């Protein structure tokens, strides 16, 4: 799918879904199969908390942010990078500050569903839980402006 200007919302999409959007907001609800999303000047929101069979997720937002909600029973290998932004998550990922933003990675559970979330000039938000569950306050790593030391600070969950 190709979208130019505006927004696109997909619900319960299945199979090998590839979406490219320019100057557009993309929202995907309950995907299954393989999902690849690329936006230029737009945000990506993926709500996979109730997805039956998510086989892979790759989301890349250039000049935008990526927000992903995943199942509390997630079993995946996660890689995230935010250039010009930060990574906020409640998953047990290893997070590190970079000169231009942040990077995170880790394996959750036993399965290896690949999840790759990238944001350039934006942030990555990754949360696990059901639609009714409260999400724990995520960890955020920031560089202290005076000392350039890495600090873990609480962050608020983004609004839906």
């Amino acid at each position: 799918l190709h979208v130019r200007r505006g927004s696109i919302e997909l619900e319960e999409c299945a199979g090998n879904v590839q979406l490219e959007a320019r100057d557009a907001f993309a929202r995907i609800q309950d995907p299954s199969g393989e999902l690849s999303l690329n936006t230029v000047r737009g945000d990506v929101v993926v709500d996979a908390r109730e997805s039956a069979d998510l086989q892979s997720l790759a989301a890349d937002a250039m000049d935008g942010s990526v927000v992903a909600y995943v199942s509390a029973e997630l079993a995946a290998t996660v890689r995230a990078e935010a250039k010009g932004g930060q990574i906020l998550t409640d998953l047990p990922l290893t997070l590190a500050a970079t000169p231009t933003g942040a990077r995170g990675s880790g394996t959750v559970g036993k399965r290896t569903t690949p999840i790759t979330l990238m944001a350039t000039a934006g942030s990555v938000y990754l949360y696990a839980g059901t639609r009714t569950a409260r999400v724990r306050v995520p960890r955020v790593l920031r560089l202290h402006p005076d000392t350039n030391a890495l600090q873990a600070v609480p962050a608020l969950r983004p609004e839906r």
Side-chain angles (χ1 to χ4, degrees), residues 3-8 19-28 37-46 59-67 118-125:
V3 177
R4 188 168 177 101
R5 292 193 182 96
S7 66
I8 184 167
L19 172 68
E20 293 186 17
R22 184 185 252 347
D23 299 317
F25 170 83
R27 182 179 172 276
I28 292 77
L37 311 164
N38 293 292
T39 64
V40 176
R41 289 185 301 278
D43 295 331
V44 175
V45 176
V46 177
D60 188 349
M62 181 178 286
D63 198 10
S65 292
V66 175
V67 180
M118 309 289 285
T120 304
S123 295
V124 172
Y125 306 90

Side-chain angles (χ1 to χ4, degrees), residues 102-113:
R103 182 177 26 242
S105 64
T107 300
V108 180
K110 295 181 181 178
R111 223 170 101 203
T112 56
T113 299

Side-chain angles (χ1 to χ4, degrees), residues 32-160:
S32 62
E34 298 177 9
L35 188 60
S36 175
L37 311 164
N38 293 292
T39 64
V40 176
R41 289 185 301 278
D43 295 331
V44 175
V45 176
V46 177
D47 188 340
R49 287 177 283 192
E50 294 185 3
S51 295
D53 187 29
L54 184 63
Q55 295 171 4
S56 69
L57 169 60
D60 188 349
M62 181 178 286
D63 198 10
S65 292
V66 175
V67 180
Y69 300 99
V70 295
S71 168
E73 291 82 34
L74 174 73
T77 300
V78 179
R79 189 171 69 93
E81 186 171 357
K83 294 179 182 175
Q86 58 191 355
I87 297 173
L88 285 78
T89 186
D90 62 353
L91 294 175
L93 302 181
T94 300
L95 301 175
T98 66
T100 60
R103 182 177 26 242
S105 64
T107 300
V108 180
K110 295 181 181 178
R111 223 170 101 203
T112 56
T113 299
I115 295 179
T116 304
L117 308 174
M118 309 289 285
T120 304
S123 295
V124 172
Y125 306 90
L126 176 60
Y127 300 103
T130 63
R131 292 188 199 283
T132 57
R134 282 195 162 157
V135 176
R136 297 184 309 273
V137 175
R139 300 173 294 150
V140 177
L141 293 179
R142 293 193 179 129
L143 287 177
H144 189 278
D146 298 326
T147 64
N148 279 338
L150 195 59
Q151 295 179 307
V153 296
L156 299 177
R157 181 176 172 202
E159 293 295 318
R160 285 194 281 167

